[in-house]
Amino acid sequence: CRHMNLSLRPRILGLTLAVVALLGFIGWAAVFTWRHIASLGDRLSREQMESFQTADQFRANLQRLDSLLHRYERHHEAGDREQFLHEWKRVDEWIDRQRPTLTSMREGKLLDQINSGYDDYFNAATNLLAQLERAPAAAPPSLARVEQESAKLNALGYQLVDAHRASLQSFISESQVTLEWLRVFFVAAFLAFGLTASSAYVLNDLLDLDADRLHPRKSHRPLASGDLEPIVGVSLVPTLLVAAGVAAWQLPWTFGASLGLYLLVTLAYSFRLKHHPMLDVTTLAGLYTLRIIAGGAASSTPVSFWLLAFSMFIFLSLALVKRYSELDAARRVGRLGKSRGRGYFPGDLEMIASLGGAAGYMAVLVLALYIQDLSTVALYRHPKAIWLACPVLLFWISRVWLL
């Protein structure tokens, strides 16, 4: 600490504030997630109550059918017989509509038993109706078998309620575990990628140490200014990579593959690709886009073609802005030769500006085409509202290049 330059302290303070802000964001995300879990539990509890109402409705339907049979037995009115047949058909269709609401194998088996038992109930009822038509009013047939089948159906209905409740409770507990793991995955993925990118940045600063010491702005970096000894940077690179590997150990293999590809391309950029004009900025745009792909892999979320196309163009424009600012600074101090560590000349400014502006506008064009895509119309209630982002982006990109 005695040899630490005072200029390093604001950077450490900024890093500390960034870490505090990150922890605050993680805490907010955790609270937000738990609130949604509680909301999910309340909603599923209401669905449990609806499952009891389903059983009550089923029992009421059976009582209605039994009542119609009793009335027909006493009065032999054709209207009661026709109404019974109509009600039976309606309840049969209602039973079939319950199948999509079931989620477990046990529920499905119970519904099959109810469906089969309902057919037995109907057979017993139709036999009773036929006997009532043939038998004299003084000696009516017994309703015992119909009542027996009705009691079986009622018992199956309550078993279905129990199975439905167990399925919902299992779903709630599994959802809570899944959300907890997702939260851990997001934090671990963030740390793993941040640590990997940090190791790459430190390595890049070590390789560019001589050039950065001659640069008007980069000379103030910790390594170039001497605030940190090069040995510290050399030791940081493997340390950060090991920490990144530990953070990514339990994450999906697709995220690990994306992280490994990011590290390999970054090493290729640091050692070779950054010295070749246009190949360097294209590589940077690809690296930034690869971060989005890695995020999708960590969350098991498919990344759309539109997002990849938009990010590639916008990141290419930003990478060209960086090169433009470096060349513009060199031209202002009278340097006309090739830039140190890069393959550009100050005379390339106009071409870089035209390419960078065009890339930024291409990103806005991709966004405009995305708004008209059929899948976008299905995803958003008001997709035309996204059009408001287009003039904002056009202004921002134009302003960046004018400055």
Side-chain angles (χ1 to χ4, degrees):
C1 294
R2 182 177 301 174
H3 302 286
M4 182 182 296
N5 193 300
L6 293 177
S7 64
L8 187 59
R9 293 181 180 177
R11 299 170 188 171
I12 295 178
L13 178 61
L15 177 62
T16 303
L17 293 176
V19 172
V20 171
L22 173 62
L23 292 177
F25 174 77
I26 294 174
W28 171 84
V31 173
F32 182 80
T33 301
W34 281 116
R35 285 180 178 176
H36 275 268
I37 291 175
S39 175
L40 179 64
D42 293 339
R43 182 174 64 84
L44 291 178
S45 296
R46 290 195 298 270
E47 291 184 2
Q48 290 180 11
M49 295 303 299
E50 291 174 1
S51 70
F52 284 105
Q53 294 173 2
T54 298
D56 292 338
Q57 185 177 357
F58 183 61
R59 183 179 61 181
N61 287 329
L62 284 177
Q63 290 176 348
R64 172 68 174 163
L65 292 173
D66 291 342
S67 175
L68 289 172
L69 284 177
H70 281 287
R71 285 170 53 184
Y72 183 73
E73 178 193 17
R74 290 194 302 268
H75 304 292
H76 289 78
E77 293 182 3
D80 291 335
R81 184 178 187 279
E82 294 300 324
Q83 190 174 1
F84 172 83
L85 294 176
H86 174 75
E87 288 293 324
W88 173 87
K89 183 177 181 181
R90 184 184 63 81
V91 175
D92 188 54
E93 293 174 350
W94 178 84
I95 291 174
D96 292 336
R97 289 197 300 270
Q98 305 312 303
R99 187 172 296 277
T101 65
L102 307 180
T103 58
S104 67
M105 185 179 297
R106 183 188 172 198
E107 291 174 287
K109 289 181 178 179
L110 285 171
L111 188 64
D112 291 337
Q113 294 178 23
I114 289 176
N115 204 7
S116 176
Y118 192 66
D119 292 338
D120 295 338
Y121 173 83
F122 179 71
N123 291 332
T126 52
N127 290 333
L128 176 65
L129 292 174
Q131 293 174 18
L132 287 173
E133 291 179 355
R134 295 193 303 268
S142 173
L143 290 172
R145 187 185 170 204
V146 175
E147 293 175 347
Q148 181 182 5
E149 297 296 337
S150 178
K152 289 180 180 179
L153 285 174
N154 271 304
L156 288 172
Y158 284 113
Q159 291 180 36
L160 181 62
V161 169
D162 292 337
H164 191 49
R165 177 172 55 191
S167 175
L168 289 173
Q169 290 175 344
S170 175
F171 175 75
I172 291 175
S173 61
E174 290 176 0
S175 298
Q176 291 175 339
V177 173
T178 300
L179 288 173
E180 290 174 2
W181 274 108
L182 281 177
R183 187 170 66 252
V184 172
F185 277 3
F186 291 156
V187 174
F190 178 85
L191 291 176
F193 222 103
L195 292 169
T196 302
S198 298
S199 68
Y201 289 141
V202 173
L203 176 61
N204 192 64
D205 282 355
L206 287 172
L207 295 175
D208 287 347
L209 199 56
D210 293 335
D212 288 349
R213 286 171 177 167
L214 300 176
H215 196 275
R217 292 193 306 272
K218 296 180 180 180
S219 59
H220 299 292
R221 291 178 177 178
L223 288 173
S225 64
D227 291 338
L228 290 179
E229 295 294 332
I231 188 62
V232 177
V234 173
S235 61
L236 271 177
V237 173
T239 303
L240 292 171
L241 285 177
V242 171
V246 172
W249 184 257
Q250 296 294 331
L251 294 175
W253 71 268
T254 50
F255 175 80
S258 301
L259 190 64
L261 179 61
Y262 178 87
L263 179 60
L264 290 177
V265 176
T266 302
L267 291 176
Y269 172 83
S270 297
F271 283 100
R272 180 64 61 180
L273 300 180
K274 66 181 179 182
H275 303 298
H276 298 277
M278 295 310 302
L279 186 58
D280 60 337
V281 291
T282 305
T283 302
L284 287 175
L287 287 172
Y288 293 136
T289 304
L290 188 56
R291 298 186 183 193
I292 298 176
I293 297 175
S299 60
S300 299
T301 304
V303 182
S304 69
F305 157 79
W306 295 107
L307 179 57
L308 294 177
F310 175 83
S311 62
M312 194 68 190
F313 283 118
I314 195 69
F315 289 142
L316 177 60
S317 180
L318 295 177
L320 287 167
V321 164
K322 186 174 184 295
R323 292 292 177 263
Y324 181 91
S325 64
E326 294 172 353
L327 293 175
D328 182 62
R331 175 185 281 186
R332 289 176 185 274
V333 297
R335 295 177 186 171
L336 300 179
K338 186 177 179 181
S339 57
R340 287 180 175 272
R342 303 293 185 266
Y344 297 95
F345 292 87
D348 298 329
L349 272 175
E350 288 73 17
M351 177 60 68
I352 291 177
S354 62
L355 292 175
Y361 290 159
M362 284 293 293
V364 181
L365 176 61
V366 170
L367 178 61
L369 293 175
Y370 168 72
I371 299 171
Q372 299 299 317
D373 188 65
L374 294 178
S375 61
T376 307
V377 177
L379 286 174
Y380 300 97
R381 181 177 299 179
H382 303 291
K384 292 183 179 179
I386 309 177
W387 276 107
L388 297 175
C390 292
V392 173
L393 273 175
L394 285 172
F395 171 79
W396 178 71
I397 292 169
S398 302
R399 184 68 175 167
V400 166
W401 280 100
L402 282 176
L403 292 178

